[in-house]
Amino acid sequence: MPLYWRVCLINGLVFVVGTAALALAPVTVSATVLVSEAVVLVLGLVGIVVLNSVLLRTSLAPLDRLIRLMDTVDLQRPGRRLPESGTGAVGQLVRGFNAMLERLETERGRSNAKALAAQEAERHRIARELHDEIGQGLTAVLLGLKQLSSGVPAAVQLQLMEVQETARATLDEVGGVARRLRPGVLEDLGLQSALASLATDFSSHGMHVRRATSPGLPELGSERELVIYRVAQEALTNAARHSNARTVRLSLQRQGMAVILAVEDDGTGLRGAEEGTGIHGMRERALLIGAELTVGPGESGTAVRLTVPLEAGR
């Protein structure tokens, strides 16, 4: 039944009940309304209003729940649905909204997967160009400076050595950027070695990273390992850039049927700030593998926790 006719039917039913009650009740109204008659009329009116409001609230309650869900829906936290009940217009609206959320989450997951795959491919291309072109160019500059330094006066040799040190530091920085863009150690040696290398890189920049991994972790597959690595990389980057952390604890452990990555720092915390693009990117990556990401206050700073479910039999 359409919602309009349902409301009309409810109101009509209430009026019929009120009319029947007044017709059958042994009460009358005098030309001059008495106090007792006024009390009966007021009670009858209150009863009609209450009955009407209860019936309408019961009928329209799914609409209120739908409005609240629409105000709070977040496609980065999928799975929220309204209970589907009834066969009327409201029930059809709720089922249609749930189906729309399902389609949006599916399409968003596909588009995010394509976007992240393209992003990884672009990172690999940039890393390869940094290594093959800029890295080789800087190496050639270092060799040329070394040859020049052997046939120049001592004063000029000192200046050339300073230029060499600058070029060598630049070459190391380019190599570090290339490794962060394309974690070759992840492909060659596995996730635990890649996390160890990542912790070493950040520890060399003034932030102490304590690493703890449980032995005998199951095989996760290249896609899951890449997501875990990128989430750990982004969490460490945020701790270094935004939280002024001195110590960060990085752990990867198995708990039941899940592998949990935890990154907790001793910095200033979120302090009520809105989530930035880095955290949004971590959430998008977590959705790709069906993992759950939580970001919130830790014991002293910010705690990032990624829960990756394992397949049956692992």
Side-chain angles (χ1 to χ4, degrees):
M1 181 182 298
L3 184 60
Y4 170 77
W5 290 110
R6 180 176 296 184
V7 173
C8 290
L9 179 62
I10 290 174
N11 283 283
L13 179 63
V14 170
F15 293 149
V16 168
V17 171
T19 302
L22 290 175
L24 299 177
V27 294
T28 57
V29 180
S30 305
T32 302
V33 180
L34 302 177
V35 174
S36 58
E37 296 172 343
V39 171
V40 173
L41 291 175
V42 170
L43 291 178
L45 179 61
V46 170
I48 290 175
V49 171
V50 170
L51 179 61
N52 190 44
S53 64
V54 170
L55 293 176
L56 286 177
R57 181 176 180 82
T58 303
S59 180
L60 301 179
L63 283 180
D64 293 334
R65 293 195 296 268
L66 178 61
I67 292 172
R68 288 194 296 269
L69 180 60
M70 292 174 66
D71 290 337
T72 59
V73 67
D74 185 358
L75 293 180
Q76 289 193 329
R77 297 175 174 84
R80 297 186 60 187
R81 299 291 187 271
L82 286 173
E84 298 179 1
S85 60
T87 58
V90 176
Q92 293 177 0
L93 181 62
V94 170
R95 286 190 291 273
F97 183 76
N98 286 342
M100 181 190 68
L101 280 182
E102 187 72 26
R103 290 195 302 271
L104 286 175
E105 290 174 359
T106 301
E107 293 173 2
R108 183 183 178 90
R110 291 174 181 171
S111 62
N112 287 340
K114 293 180 180 178
L116 291 174
Q119 184 185 78
E120 287 297 330
E122 183 68 9
R123 286 184 173 188
H124 285 196
R125 184 188 66 81
I126 295 174
R128 185 171 58 252
E129 291 184 357
L130 285 175
H131 180 271
D132 295 344
E133 297 182 12
I134 299 179
Q136 291 181 5
L138 288 173
T139 302
V141 169
L142 283 172
L143 293 176
L145 291 173
K146 184 177 181 180
Q147 292 178 354
L148 286 174
S149 63
S150 60
V152 297
V156 180
Q157 282 185 352
L158 182 60
Q159 294 178 355
L160 287 176
M161 290 179 60
E162 293 177 355
V163 176
Q164 280 181 295
E165 290 301 323
T166 302
R168 187 175 290 107
T170 304
L171 180 61
D172 292 340
E173 186 64 27
V174 169
V177 172
R179 286 193 301 272
R180 290 192 292 272
L181 287 173
R182 183 178 183 272
V185 65
L186 178 62
E187 301 174 357
D188 299 334
L189 301 178
L191 179 60
Q192 296 198 38
S193 298
L195 292 178
S197 176
L198 190 65
T200 302
D201 289 342
F202 278 91
S203 295
S204 63
H205 289 80
M207 185 177 68
H208 179 58
V209 180
R210 295 186 301 170
R211 186 176 57 89
T213 57
S214 59
L217 289 175
E219 184 69 26
L220 297 174
S222 58
E223 185 178 14
R224 292 185 176 186
E225 289 185 350
L226 181 60
V227 169
I228 292 173
Y229 179 85
R230 291 300 188 196
V231 169
Q233 185 182 44
E234 183 62 34
L236 291 173
T237 301
N238 288 339
R241 290 181 178 176
H242 306 299
S243 67
N244 297 320
R246 295 184 177 179
T247 303
V248 181
R249 186 177 184 273
L250 171 66
S251 65
L252 182 67
Q253 298 177 343
R254 177 172 181 171
Q255 294 184 8
M257 290 302 297
V259 171
I260 298 177
L261 170 74
V263 182
E264 186 171 353
D265 62 61
D266 61 353
T268 56
L270 297 174
R271 293 175 295 182
E274 295 183 357
E275 294 185 355
T277 56
I279 297 179
H280 284 300
M282 288 192 289
R283 294 196 185 281
E284 298 289 357
R285 291 183 181 277
L287 289 177
L288 292 180
I289 59 173
E292 180 183 357
L293 179 78
T294 58
V295 181
E299 295 181 0
S300 57
T302 304
V304 177
R305 183 182 177 93
L306 179 70
T307 303
V308 182
L310 295 174
E311 298 176 359
R314 289 187 179 272

